[in-house]
Amino acid sequence: NRIGNTTIYGNSKIIAKSSGVFTNTGTITITATQDSNSLSNSIGPEIIAQNTGIYVDGGILNIGIDEATSSVNTSIPSITGTSYGVNIASGTCNFYDGIIKGKTSAINGATPNTPNGYTISPETTDAEGYKTVTLVSE
């Protein structure tokens, strides 16, 4: 699915047999709500794909919201791919909230930008064999 400027929010669930979301132009933002103040109280979007959760080949991907005072949610949005959670060939990926999972690797390609004071956690493997990352304080 090639998407231009789009926001995926709320309790949206995308289940795909290949890549869940593909971007090569524009900006995609995936967040719990349109209002960043409600992020911690929401059921967030979930992307589950048989291959790659999100494939970035140009454009900008925002996972969550970069608040002025960082308030990171480590469970929503949730992005899962049986190969990669997020595969970044080119473009920009901003990882502000959520959890990313992939059986081969959670993130492939360029390292995403993170909020001030946070970094991407080392990969851990969950009970289902998915390599998982979230954000942790520096």
Side-chain angles (χ1 to χ4, degrees), residues 101 103 125-130:
K101 301 177 184 184
K103 290 230 173 169
T125 303
D126 68 13
E128 297 174 340
Y130 284 95

Side-chain angles (χ1 to χ4, degrees), residues 21-53:
V21 176
F22 175 91
T23 180
N24 66 353
T25 61
T27 301
I28 296 176
T29 300
I30 302 168
T31 186
T33 66
Q34 291 179 311
D35 176 8
S36 64
N37 296 325
S38 302
L39 184 62
S40 62
N41 299 321
S42 299
I43 298 170
E46 183 176 14
I47 296 171
I48 302 169
Q50 292 296 320
N51 185 9
T52 298

Side-chain angles (χ1 to χ4, degrees), residues 72-75 95 97-100 106-107 114 118-124 132-136:
V72 170
N73 186 313
T74 58
S75 59
F95 183 22
D97 294 293
I99 185 167
I100 302 173
I107 299 170
T114 58
Y118 288 85
T119 189
I120 298 171
S121 69
E123 274 189 342
T124 59
T132 302
V133 296
T134 60
L135 294 164
V136 293

Side-chain angles (χ1 to χ4, degrees), residues 47-108:
I47 296 171
I48 302 169
Q50 292 296 320
N51 185 9
T52 298
I54 300 176
Y55 182 74
V56 182
D57 189 16
I60 300 168
L61 170 65
N62 295 315
I63 303 170
I65 298 173
D66 187 18
E67 295 98 354
T69 304
S70 291
S71 173
V72 170
N73 186 313
T74 58
S75 59
I76 57 175
S78 175
I79 300 165
T80 304
T82 56
S83 182
Y84 303 111
V86 175
N87 188 358
I88 307 161
S90 68
T92 301
C93 178
N94 299 309
F95 183 22
Y96 300 133
D97 294 293
I99 185 167
I100 302 173
K101 301 177 184 184
K103 290 230 173 169
T104 303
S105 180
I107 299 170
N108 185 56

